[in-house]
Amino acid sequence: MLVTGKEILDHAHEHGYAVGAFNVNNMEIVQAIINAAEETNSPVIMQASQGALKYAGVEYISAMVKVAAEKAKVPVALHLDHGTNFEQIIMCIRNGFTSVMIDASKHELDKNIEITKNIVGIAHAAGVSVEAEIGKIGGTEDDITVDEKEATFTDPDEAEKLVKETGLDSLAIAVGTAHGPYKGEPKLDFDRITTIKERLNIPLVLHGSSGVPEESIKKAVERGINKINIDTDIRMSFNEAVRKFANENPDIYDPRKLLGPGREAAKNIIADKMRMFGSAGKAWR
Ligand code: G3H
Ligand code: 13P
Ligand code: ZN
């Protein structure tokens, strides 16, 4: 069933595990995620980026996820990933999203507070949950040194101020991960997660989690991460399976036969992540 992001993340926060938030762009990925969630009896968040909304259209994304959620026995939230645009956030709320992210992290603290507070007021009035971000998560392609990188990590004082002044529901923090494939092994600042968790006592979100080793993921969850965003690992497993099938079967042109192996491969890695994050078996209704 479809529930709010807050309901899912408060349960994870209370019980000390993390829920996977998987990016959706088409029907096969929606089905891969819901099948993995049912297989592992896991609550799940399906999220659409601005790029996904541009590719598939907000109505298609919303309709596909709602059908998946209605048919499923596990709790499902529909979330806007990295929302930066006021009109688009309103459009998602009107289309039945149960959670939105307002990413004003590129702004200075005061501006971030102002923008986030405005979205929290509107979203909460509509019964929709809000994730915000502070610190700079960035991409793996950003060629910066370790010192420069640490300077972009979330400052606990700033995080506390953002939470207190806006009433947001969950917070994305910068602690050493980056979006996209990693060149080397990412080094996470686990003590920073602990400090922020102790100070805020709210659900925390880890972005750029594809390619982060299992041991680091588990440690991050122990320290207080409750939502783990995965996109690149889904893309890679889908791509690999589709290419392999197409190469081995050059005469097949039926899209169902070509994309089916991608859906199956994505389902398998998503189910593995759910077990790794500790959400397997945690569906409470
Ligand atoms: O955080 C970014 C997600 O991986 C979405 O990527 O903007 O290419 O859809 P995208
Ligand atoms: P990855 O693509 O690195 O998994 O990041 C996903 C993400 O953070 C979506 O917001
Ligand atoms: Zn992200």
Side-chain angles (χ1 to χ4, degrees):
M1 77 269 342
L2 194 65
V3 303
T4 63
K6 182 172 168 54
E7 188 174 347
I8 287 191
L9 292 181
D10 282 356
H11 189 267
H13 172 64
E14 212 174 293
H15 294 88
Y17 67 93
V19 175
F22 302 98
N23 284 72
V24 299
N25 289 283
N26 61 14
M27 183 194 75
E28 282 76 11
I29 303 287
V30 170
Q31 291 178 333
I33 299 165
I34 205 71
N35 291 343
E38 295 242 79
E39 186 179 295
T40 61
N41 195 31
S42 180
V44 68
I45 298 169
M46 296 209 211
Q47 59 187 13
S49 67
Q50 301 191 41
L53 298 179
K54 198 168 160 206
Y55 175 74
V58 66
E59 296 90 350
Y60 277 86
I61 294 279
S62 163
M64 288 190 294
V65 174
K66 278 185 200 160
V67 168
E70 276 159 21
K71 287 180 73 172
K73 288 185 289 295
V74 297
V76 178
L78 171 55
H79 175 75
L80 170 66
D81 188 28
H82 291 285
T84 54
N85 175 285
F86 180 83
E87 284 76 20
Q88 195 171 46
I89 288 173
I90 299 298
M91 191 174 70
C92 287
I93 293 173
R94 285 174 61 101
N95 276 278
F97 280 53
T98 60
S99 177
V100 292
M101 176 180 188
I102 171 65
D103 181 356
S105 61
K106 68 173 187 207
H107 298 286
E108 291 302 314
L109 178 62
D110 286 349
K111 189 76 182 163
N112 190 344
I113 289 173
E114 182 192 321
I115 295 169
T116 301
K117 195 172 174 180
N118 185 36
I119 296 299
V120 169
I122 290 159
H124 281 183
V128 171
S129 319
V130 179
E131 173 184 335
E133 176 176 326
I134 188 149
K136 291 186 176 56
I137 292 159
T140 47
E141 72 282 4
D142 300 345
D143 221 358
I144 54 175
T145 66
V146 175
D147 283 357
E148 282 169 338
K149 206 168 170 211
E150 268 183 22
T152 67
F153 285 3
T154 302
D155 177 81
D157 292 331
E158 290 198 350
E160 192 169 357
K161 196 157 184 245
L162 181 71
V163 171
K164 282 205 173 125
E165 294 194 17
T166 64
L168 58 83
D169 300 298
S170 62
L171 185 66
I173 54 173
V175 289
T177 56
H179 293 107
Y182 290 96
K183 287 186 199 120
E185 193 175 299
K187 296 263 173 296
L188 272 63
D189 188 343
F190 297 106
D191 290 342
R192 193 176 296 262
I193 301 176
T194 302
T195 305
I196 296 171
K197 189 72 170 187
E198 280 172 5
R199 299 251 313 249
L200 307 185
N201 195 29
I202 62 162
L204 298 179
V205 183
L206 191 68
H207 282 245
S209 309
S210 293
V212 177
E214 177 162 1
E215 201 189 323
S216 299
I217 288 285
K218 286 186 165 160
K219 210 165 156 186
V221 175
E222 273 166 30
R223 302 292 185 107
I225 293 291
N226 303 111
K227 173 175 181 274
I228 300 187
N229 287 11
I230 299 283
D231 190 358
T232 301
D233 280 344
I234 298 177
R235 295 179 185 198
M236 285 179 163
S237 60
F238 194 95
N239 168 59
E240 198 184 315
V242 171
R243 272 183 209 274
K244 183 169 180 288
F245 181 85
N247 287 338
E248 288 169 359
N249 301 274
D251 298 332
I252 292 200
Y253 53 86
D254 181 340
R256 296 168 298 187
K257 295 205 169 92
L258 286 165
L259 300 184
R263 178 173 65 183
E264 185 62 17
K267 187 212 78 175
N268 289 333
I269 70 116
I270 292 166
D272 287 347
K273 301 278 182 198
M274 288 168 166
R275 292 182 198 102
M276 190 192 300
F277 301 166
S279 69
K282 294 291 197 312
W284 62 90
R285 56 178 184 176

